[in-house]
Amino acid sequence: MTSLFQIQSQCANLRHQRPSFSILASPKFDQVNIPVGSSGSIKLDIHHPLRPAQSNPTIIYLPQGLLITRENPQESRTLASIATAANATTVRLHYRLNLPHPYPIPIHDVLAGYDWVVKHLITGSAAHNSWQAHSTKFAKLGVCGELVGGSLAAMLALTECHTNKIGVRAAALCNPITDWTMFHSSAPAREVAGDVSGERSVEYQSGVSSQPHSLSDSLLLAARRDLFVTPSHYFDPFASPLLFFRTASSDLPILDSTFSNSSPQLSDVSSSETSTEWIKKRRAYRKHPPLGSGLRLPKLRVEVGEENVFKEQVIDLAEGVMRSVELYERKEKMGTDASESEIEADKRVNLRMKKGEGFWGEEDFVDVGHWLGQILR
């Protein structure tokens, strides 16, 4: 099983490589292409604040990823809405997630993009670049996203929340996929058409809409078979952030030869995991972050639809963060009683239930921008 430390080591190796990059610039908008080690490159869209100042925060927005199969006309408005509402430098990070780029590639992409943002937009180490006039040297950093983007935003928020250097101070998540291990019933076979040429993920057909409101267990099982080479990749907390706070509800599955060391092929999809033996077990709490790690959990705004398939795991994530905040307050601040630590946990985590599936619309992005702007100032 790929361990958390192995993933961290891989990402650390990527970070030590000094990337070159190219830019398409305008007065308030830049596009930057940065390499990710030797495995290709990703694009960053940078929307600068209307009123640049040293107090402006920086926000990383991670697109939905999983179910977006073509350019969404609202995506450009999304970035502008967040940037304007927060008066922040806002970066849309186009991580790769499709058949040729399964996990853990999206994790490496997001960490590489995060490091680039910290180095070039916040610390001011690239003083001669065109965007530097808009950068905010002392800015605080926030992240936001939904679905896979919410999962990756949660990963960043929980692992890059440093107290002794620049780190994530706030995160807004909507219907994040926080536990890929929870889906372990065999799904019916379906027809799939893979969008393997672009940055978007696979397209699901056979009567299944590619819009988010069509989420179901069978669709998510199909996505998991496409986007994870082996089960060990989705049992890793970097891919399933809820596992930072509790164990999975089953052991790593015992598989037949369906899974191999190569990327999954479309011809294998319908048979993947159908011969998987799942061993259920009792869940156990985990402590995160470890004491003395230099991490402090950021403020979280977590939203989920009342009818969304992720409702249970999103609530579990919010409760896991609150439980960890309470433990931290009691142990790190000796003398803090239970009521005080509970109050701090309530301040740190804002869980919101939304009607229906609860996906973000244009007004929600404005509201998220306002919230992040207030928290990060």
Side-chain angles (χ1 to χ4, degrees), residues 24-69:
L24 293 174
S26 69
K28 292 186 175 64
F29 182 81
D30 294 320
Q31 286 186 342
V32 183
N33 287 294
I34 65 170
V36 182
S38 59
S39 64
S41 63
I42 59 173
K43 181 177 70 173
L44 308 182
D45 298 333
I46 306 170
H47 198 293
H48 301 289
L50 295 176
R51 302 179 301 280
Q54 284 194 337
S55 61
N56 291 136
T58 300
I59 298 170
I60 296 175
Y61 166 66
L62 299 167
Q64 291 177 338
L66 176 62
L67 300 176
I68 299 298
T69 58

